[in-house]
Amino acid sequence: MGVHVVGPFRAALIAVEHHWTWYRRNWRATVISNFLQPVLFLLAMGVGFGSQVQAGEATGGHRYVVFLAPALLVLTAVQNAVFESTWAVFSAFKWQRTYLAMVSTPITPAQVLHGQLLWIALRLAAGTAVFLGIAVALGAITSPSAVLAVPFGVLAGMAFCAPLVAFSATREKPDAFNSVFRFLVMPMTLFTGAFFPLSQLPEWVRPLAWATPAWHGIELARGATFGTLRLLPALGHVAYLSALVALGVVLGRRHFRRRLTQ
């Protein structure tokens, strides 16, 4: 009797259905980190601290909260992607062994990866959309074109997420994740132009910021929000982020196959 083969799209939907079933029962555990914390940060830094910052050349002539909001949308996506790409993936391999259960069915390791990435992308889209709605309600974002910041934020998050998922698939212990947060996430949060223009940093630091997905996402989100987005630079940002996603998928397929077929 032949083995039933599940198509790639159907397999991804099955994986998403699994994640959604879990999330419906446990969503309260993620409300603070995914939704409430970014909004509190916007209020504290944008409205509180921002009241002491005058609109000027550094903020493009905008109030500080307006300058900050699209960047925080992107950082929200990137930071949420980090957790979903580290502890959650490691747990599915090592502790809960969810992935092993999946590949005991006709779903392949590559399809497990694709389903995981699709679920993370949906989570990021929901988180950034909620943040955008709250920022609009607070008056921090007023431009209709700011809706484009949501897919740009998701793309930036996935550009960091996909390679990190592949990295997590190689870990036997979660110790390395602390270094990821300490030496990648925190510097990327603080020094990629979200809170002040990148031109304020020393010249030798700027190329490090240019290499991060967060900077490209922030440039796209601010350009869309302020109406300053230009076609060629935008295509360059999107191409770079898409290349990182593709690299992560290629590496992830290799590591998932190796880990789940031993």
Side-chain angles (χ1 to χ4, degrees):
M1 188 173 183
V3 176
H4 176 64
V5 178
V6 181
F9 183 69
R10 174 60 180 160
L13 291 182
I14 291 173
V16 168
E17 182 181 10
H18 154 72
H19 293 298
W20 170 242
T21 301
W22 180 92
Y23 186 73
R24 281 186 304 173
R25 300 172 182 173
N26 299 278
W27 62 270
R28 294 174 184 83
T30 65
V31 167
I32 293 179
S33 60
N34 287 359
F35 301 106
L36 184 58
Q37 184 174 307
V39 173
L40 292 177
F41 209 80
L42 177 64
L43 290 173
M45 295 298 296
V47 179
F49 173 76
S51 65
Q52 307 302 309
V53 180
Q54 292 185 348
E57 183 179 352
T59 62
H62 304 285
R63 290 184 298 127
Y64 187 71
V65 66
V66 175
F67 172 78
L68 183 62
L72 277 185
L73 183 148
V74 173
L75 291 180
T76 296
V78 172
Q79 291 174 351
N80 288 343
V82 172
F83 178 79
E84 295 295 331
S85 307
T86 51
W87 296 99
V89 172
F90 180 84
S91 177
F93 274 117
K94 195 74 174 178
W95 295 328
Q96 296 178 324
R97 298 182 178 271
T98 308
Y99 294 154
L100 291 174
M102 288 182 176
V103 296
S104 66
T105 72
I107 297 177
T108 67
Q111 291 170 341
V112 172
L113 169 68
H114 299 160
Q116 180 70 58
L117 293 177
L118 177 58
W119 169 248
I120 294 174
L122 292 173
R123 287 284 305 275
L124 299 188
T128 52
V130 169
F131 181 88
L132 176 65
I134 295 175
V136 169
L138 293 174
I141 293 179
T142 58
S143 171
S145 62
V147 70
L148 293 175
V150 171
F152 289 150
V154 172
L155 181 59
M158 294 306 295
F160 196 72
C161 156
L164 195 52
V165 167
F167 171 75
S168 299
T170 67
R171 300 296 91 191
E172 292 295 335
K173 296 181 179 180
D175 302 352
F177 298 150
N178 292 327
S179 297
V180 170
F181 280 90
R182 186 175 296 116
F183 299 114
L184 289 179
V185 178
M186 287 305 298
M188 189 166 57
T189 298
L190 297 173
F191 302 112
T192 51
F195 301 101
F196 52 86
L198 205 61
S199 59
Q200 301 300 309
L201 291 175
E203 290 188 8
W204 64 270
V205 178
R206 296 174 200 172
L208 298 177
W210 296 336
T212 65
W215 178 78
H216 293 273
I218 289 170
E219 289 294 299
L220 287 168
R222 278 204 178 116
T225 302
F226 301 149
T228 58
L229 200 62
R230 298 294 178 264
L231 180 59
L232 288 180
L235 289 177
H237 293 309
V238 170
Y240 181 79
L241 295 174
S242 300
L244 289 178
V245 174
L247 175 63
V249 171
V250 170
L251 294 175
R253 287 168 66 99
R254 179 186 305 170
H255 295 315
F256 268 60
R257 182 174 61 252
R258 183 178 303 165
R259 186 79 176 264
L260 296 175
T261 55
Q262 290 180 348

